[in-house]
Amino acid sequence: MIDKTRPDTQSCVADIPDGATLLVGGFGGAGMPHELIEAVIARAPKDLTIISNNAGNGTTGLAALLAAGLVKKVVCSFPRQADSFVFDKLYREGRLELELVPQGNLVERIRAGGAGIGAFFTPTGYGTPIAAGKETRQIDGRNYVLEYPLKADFALIKAHRGDRWGNLTYRKTARNFGPVMATAATVTVAQVEDIVPLGTLDPEDIVTPGVFVDRLVAIGTGAAQ
Amino acid sequence: MSDIAFTPWTRAEMAQRIAADIPDGAIVNIGIGMPELVADFLPQDKEILLHSENGILGMGPKPSPNEVDYDLINAGKQPVTLLDGGAFFDHSLSFAMMRGGHLDIAILGAFQVAVNGDLANWATNDPNAIPAVGGAMDLAVGARNVFVMMELLTKKGDSKLVEHCTYPLTGLGCVSRVYTDHGVIDITPEGFVARTLPPGLSLDDLNARAGIAIRAS
């Protein structure tokens, strides 16, 4: 019998070691796995590398993880936000390494990581500082930059509903990076509002098939940030 | 700079002009910042589909206070709505739309636009600034038409229309038209071409203010 459900968030993240690389879902607050991040903060692994679109806002979620001093490097496309003061301070103090990746390259690098692609040529960033030092190629008269996959030890994502096989559905724009991040980690952990009996999710609606999910935990319908 | 009787277009007037130039049926991505105003002026008699990089096609206006759902936000992380016929999708598909040439128009803000259409809109040379690029580079290379909305001059009075961008580039040769408070300027193989100027602003005055050659259309 396959049962990927876990009783609590703590047991989902208990084996994240120091120095681990984490894919963290979400775009702003939508799709950010707040409860799983809280559990990571409680466990306190050090020197983490975080791959996520943003670098946290306010004082919760990713911002709390940064503020706890557990992160050495952030790979993201858009760290600067109106209320990204936690990241801003750590970055200016030189306590946080930043790899800035254009958003489409970020998601495609994660996709490549999960899909077994060795590298890919993208037009995004050609001729800009983002492409400095990278291999380029002209294909059919257009210029491209070689980009390499991103993979992680763990992916922490938020979905809407799940079942014990790990099948997931998402809600509105909270889907964002969840489906692609689920494919690119050694261990993918999903927090969902509820875990429903097998066969309840309409197979036409399942966005992430269970093969990509290793653990899931029900959080209930907490208010999104 | 010549002392002339002329009132620059307001941001709302700039947004209105952009909205009026978007054809019926167009798929459009509106960048965060100043371009967001364009959404307020989209003509009701045309069906214009708004794309949001975080996974929306057919984005609707702001919700009423009791409709706010923080799982339904735009690229600026503000609550929005979905039109009938609209769709949600993941980031990989969203950027396939952007990078793959499926969007008709992207409307972006800018720090500088060069005469060859180079765009600089994600970073300045300020070492204390936090860099952030988001989806701008993908839109720059992927949208069929890139329109820029910006004021002509910086707060210091320098022209944002330049011979060569001095700020870090977002994309090469990607901008086709610039909507400024000093008129609408096309980027052509022959250089900047003034398309529409505000009343009271002559081409000579515009050239004097911009400090760069802008031809008559």
Side-chain angles (χ1 to χ4, degrees), chain A residues 27-28 30 54 77-81 87-88 91-92 98 100-104 107-108 111 122-130 142 171-177 179 224-225, chain B residues 32 53-56 69-77 88-92 95 99 111 122-123 127-135 137-138 141-142 168-172:
Chain A
F27 182 92
N54 305 109
S77 88
F78 208 82
R80 184 187 64 224
Q81 297 186 79
F87 172 87
D88 298 359
Y91 178 73
R92 290 200 171 107
L98 170 67
L100 192 72
V101 182
Q103 202 170 149
V107 72
E108 192 63 11
R111 202 195 72 80
T122 175
T124 304
Y126 179 84
T128 78
I130 294 288
R142 195 164 190 214
R171 197 168 171 273
K172 302 186 179 183
T173 59
R175 184 183 306 193
N176 58 63
F177 282 87
Q225 295 293 308
Chain B
I32 57 177
E53 67 187 15
N54 56 320
I56 313 176
D69 179 345
Y70 282 98
D71 278 346
L72 178 43
I73 59 173
N74 64 13
K77 281 99 179 171
F88 299 123
F89 34 85
D90 70 68
H91 248 77
S92 180
F95 278 78
R99 199 195 304 106
F111 296 133
W122 67 280
N128 200 36
I130 306 282
V133 62
M137 289 187 181
D138 300 283
V141 299
L169 290 179
T170 306
L172 304 182

Side-chain angles (χ1 to χ4, degrees), chain B residues 12-56:
Chain B
E13 287 169 321
M14 292 156 65
Q16 244 168 326
R17 284 187 179 271
I18 298 172
D21 286 350
I22 300 173
D24 190 23
I27 312 287
V28 180
N29 183 296
I30 294 177
I32 57 177
M34 202 194 293
E36 287 177 57
L37 273 175
V38 176
D40 296 339
F41 295 100
L42 292 178
Q44 298 300 311
D45 58 338
K46 295 180 193 168
E47 268 189 344
I48 291 166
L49 280 191
L50 296 184
H51 170 269
S52 187
E53 67 187 15
N54 56 320
I56 313 176

Side-chain angles (χ1 to χ4, degrees), chain B residues 1-209:
Chain B
M1 190 176 296
S2 56
D3 185 21
I4 49 172
F6 131 84
T7 310
W9 283 329
T10 64
R11 288 181 175 191
E13 287 169 321
M14 292 156 65
Q16 244 168 326
R17 284 187 179 271
I18 298 172
D21 286 350
I22 300 173
D24 190 23
I27 312 287
V28 180
N29 183 296
I30 294 177
I32 57 177
M34 202 194 293
E36 287 177 57
L37 273 175
V38 176
D40 296 339
F41 295 100
L42 292 178
Q44 298 300 311
D45 58 338
K46 295 180 193 168
E47 268 189 344
I48 291 166
L49 280 191
L50 296 184
H51 170 269
S52 187
E53 67 187 15
N54 56 320
I56 313 176
L57 191 60
M59 181 168 63
K62 275 181 237 166
S64 63
N66 59 358
E67 279 181 323
V68 168
D69 179 345
Y70 282 98
D71 278 346
L72 178 43
I73 59 173
N74 64 13
K77 281 99 179 171
Q78 299 305 309
V80 291
T81 53
L82 188 73
L83 301 181
D84 286 347
F88 299 123
F89 34 85
D90 70 68
H91 248 77
S92 180
L93 197 60
S94 186
F95 278 78
M97 287 180 200
M98 295 158 73
R99 199 195 304 106
H102 305 282
L103 303 188
D104 295 305
I105 300 170
I107 305 163
L108 301 174
F111 296 133
Q112 290 174 328
V113 176
V115 69
N116 63 357
D118 286 359
L119 170 68
N121 82 344
W122 67 280
T124 62
N125 296 321
D126 175 1
N128 200 36
I130 306 282
V133 62
M137 289 187 181
D138 300 283
L139 289 169
V141 299
R144 293 194 191 124
N145 296 283
V146 175
F147 292 170
V148 160
M149 176 180 180
M150 67 179 193
E151 268 122 23
L152 176 70
L153 305 173
T154 66
K155 283 180 185 134
K156 285 186 193 164
D158 297 326
S159 175
K160 297 183 191 175
L161 293 178
V162 293
E163 200 65 47
H164 301 285
C165 293
T166 54
Y167 289 145
L169 290 179
T170 306
L172 304 182
C174 53
V175 179
S176 54
R177 184 177 293 168
V178 185
Y179 292 81
T180 78
D181 53 344
H182 284 62
V184 182
I185 292 135
D186 279 336
I187 306 223
T188 75
E190 288 75 44
F192 292 126
V193 172
R195 193 163 159 269
T196 317
L197 298 183
L201 183 70
S202 72
L203 192 60
D204 285 347
D205 293 330
L206 176 62
N207 273 279
R209 289 190 173 216

Side-chain angles (χ1 to χ4, degrees), chain A residues 27-39:
Chain A
F27 182 92
M32 189 186 282
H34 280 270
E35 284 77 3
L36 287 173
I37 293 170
E38 289 301 320

